[in-house]
Amino acid sequence: MSKAKRLLDILMFVTAKKNFTAQEIADEFNISVRTVHRYILDLSDMGMPIYSEQGRNGGYTVLTSRLLPPILFTEEEVVSIFFAFQSLNYYRNLPFDSEITSVEHKLYSSLQSEAKIKVDKIRSYIAFWNPKRTIDTPFLKDILEHSIENKNLHIQYESKSGMRKKHIRPIGVYAHDGLWYLPAYDYHKKKILLYRVDRILSILSAEKNEDDFMNLEEWFNFHEVKNPVRLHVILTMEGVRQCKSVPYFDGFVGTQEDGTGYIDTIIDRGELNFITSLFLRLGSHARILEPKELIVRLRKQAEEILTMYQDEN
């Protein structure tokens, strides 16, 4: 048996066992204790976190199981991983920047020349483009880890009205349009709000929760309408095209035979402030019929813009 195969077998054995002696490995693989010690040194050099305990009852302990045993990928599977990595290239910050770079380097170094050429072509001919952002999100990884660990957070947040201290229960983080967002339960407002992760100035403290709360996937599928209002909009062909490219309107847009369309659904009144800016961008391609409050908001913003550009002479 080759040394590489023997090392792999021993790696699998100690990873599963956690605590072991050299004699146990020697008996398991029918090799000498001296050879076992050489293999243990080889595994340590490879990065396996093995702690040696001296004495009569001594042995070895794997300090952590975070180092995975070797996984065999086909060439196409590795190429598909690089394909997935392409979707991350346009984000300034990621929760695991250095780890992703390390994985890319290890995988690329292991490829044969033909596979490297294929990966290089993928990098050159396909991109999941997001607008380039110069905004840093230094607490992105911390926020994600606290969400996974089910912890409440006390944070300093830069809102439109200035810096505020917030007591929140994070649900998770997601990326959209080159920015990172955090839906979280606000204990002061007593409802779930959406925060920009780059506007979190500091994490003041964290506290563990004993009870469970919804996660990000559940939040995406959860739509509570506490104050219902009808949203009824007539769309031109261009209005249909633009609305279908906005995630918020997914599933809301109906289409006529001539290519024009409409939106006729129930939303929560609290969302009107958010969608006002969406319809303002659509201009004459979206005619609001209901609610009247949305029409008033659009008229007000349009008048403010018109006033700003009026010739004072």
Side-chain angles (χ1 to χ4, degrees):
M1 181 180 294
S2 68
K3 180 179 179 181
K5 177 65 168 60
R6 180 70 77 193
L7 274 173
L8 176 58
D9 289 342
I10 294 175
L11 175 59
M12 301 282 285
F13 178 82
V14 302
T15 300
K17 197 168 181 61
K18 302 292 190 303
N19 298 292
F20 58 93
T21 65
Q23 188 61 56
E24 286 177 318
I25 296 180
D27 294 340
E28 177 72 20
F29 296 99
N30 195 28
I31 55 179
S32 68
V33 171
R34 178 176 295 181
T35 301
V36 170
H37 289 308
R38 289 203 303 269
Y39 282 141
I40 295 298
L41 288 175
D42 289 336
L43 290 175
S44 296
D45 291 340
M46 292 166 56
M48 188 71 178
I50 299 177
Y51 173 71
S52 174
E53 296 181 359
Q54 304 298 324
R56 182 177 179 180
N57 298 318
Y60 294 96
T61 300
V62 180
L63 296 181
T64 174
S65 59
R66 292 182 180 178
L67 185 66
L68 298 178
I71 302 173
L72 299 179
F73 291 110
T74 66
E75 182 179 293
E76 289 301 315
E77 287 173 336
V78 174
V79 171
S80 71
I81 292 173
F82 280 97
F83 175 80
F85 282 159
Q86 287 294 92
S87 65
L88 308 175
N89 285 346
Y90 289 90
Y91 283 95
R92 182 179 178 88
N93 296 109
L94 293 166
F96 305 100
D97 275 326
S98 59
E99 291 84 356
I100 291 172
T101 301
S102 176
V103 170
E104 281 192 289
H105 175 72
K106 289 179 180 178
L107 287 177
Y108 190 80
S109 299
S110 69
L111 292 176
Q112 300 295 325
S113 58
E114 291 184 2
K116 287 182 178 179
I117 292 173
K118 186 178 290 188
V119 167
D120 292 339
K121 285 186 176 180
I122 285 179
R123 289 170 168 169
S124 300
Y125 286 94
I126 190 170
F128 297 84
W129 187 83
N130 280 298
K132 282 284 189 179
R133 302 289 187 178
T134 59
I135 304 172
D136 283 321
T137 52
F139 295 101
L140 176 59
K141 187 173 183 178
D142 292 328
I143 293 293
L144 175 59
E145 289 178 346
H146 287 315
S147 301
I148 295 172
E149 294 169 0
N150 193 24
K151 290 183 177 180
N152 288 338
L153 295 177
H154 294 266
I155 62 172
Q156 285 185 315
Y157 187 75
E158 186 179 13
S159 65
K160 291 182 179 179
S161 56
M163 194 275 288
R164 294 286 186 271
K165 290 184 178 180
K166 298 280 188 176
H167 184 204
I168 61 173
R169 182 167 188 167
I171 294 173
V173 296
Y174 70 90
H176 174 66
D177 202 26
L179 296 172
W180 287 93
Y181 294 89
L182 165 69
Y185 181 81
D186 186 300
Y187 283 99
H188 176 68
K189 297 290 183 65
K190 300 187 184 307
K191 62 181 179 179
I192 295 175
L193 300 176
L194 193 60
Y195 298 93
R196 283 258 301 269
V197 180
D198 59 276
R199 292 178 179 168
I200 296 176
L201 304 179
S202 64
I203 298 175
L204 303 177
S205 62
E207 59 209 20
K208 180 75 174 179
N209 283 296
E210 298 301 327
D211 60 321
D212 293 326
F213 196 54
M214 72 167 61
N215 56 37
L216 189 66
E217 182 180 7
E218 293 168 338
W219 180 75
F220 278 136
N221 296 324
F222 177 76
H223 184 68
E224 183 180 19
V225 179
K226 293 183 177 180
N227 193 357
V229 61
R230 184 188 184 193
L231 176 64
H232 191 193
V233 185
I234 303 299
L235 301 170
T236 65
M237 291 178 63
E238 177 61 18
V240 169
R241 186 186 70 82
Q242 292 195 35
C243 282
K244 284 188 174 181
S245 67
V246 177
Y248 177 85
F249 294 129
D250 184 36
F252 292 166
V253 180
T255 307
Q256 309 281 11
E257 290 184 1
D258 62 357
T260 62
Y262 60 91
I263 295 174
D264 193 354
T265 188
I266 301 297
I267 64 170
D268 192 274
R269 189 177 299 275
E271 298 175 340
L272 289 179
N273 186 52
F274 169 71
I275 66 173
T276 298
S277 60
L278 297 179
F279 283 115
L280 191 65
R281 293 201 302 267
L282 288 172
S284 60
H285 295 294
R287 182 185 174 192
I288 311 296
L289 300 181
E290 293 186 58
K292 299 301 181 184
E293 183 179 345
L294 179 57
I295 298 175
V296 171
R297 288 169 178 260
L298 286 169
R299 287 178 61 91
K300 181 180 179 182
Q301 290 197 19
E303 288 169 357
E304 289 175 351
I305 294 172
L306 181 62
T307 300
M308 185 171 61
Y309 288 106
Q310 280 181 339
D311 187 354
E312 296 180 358
N313 297 324

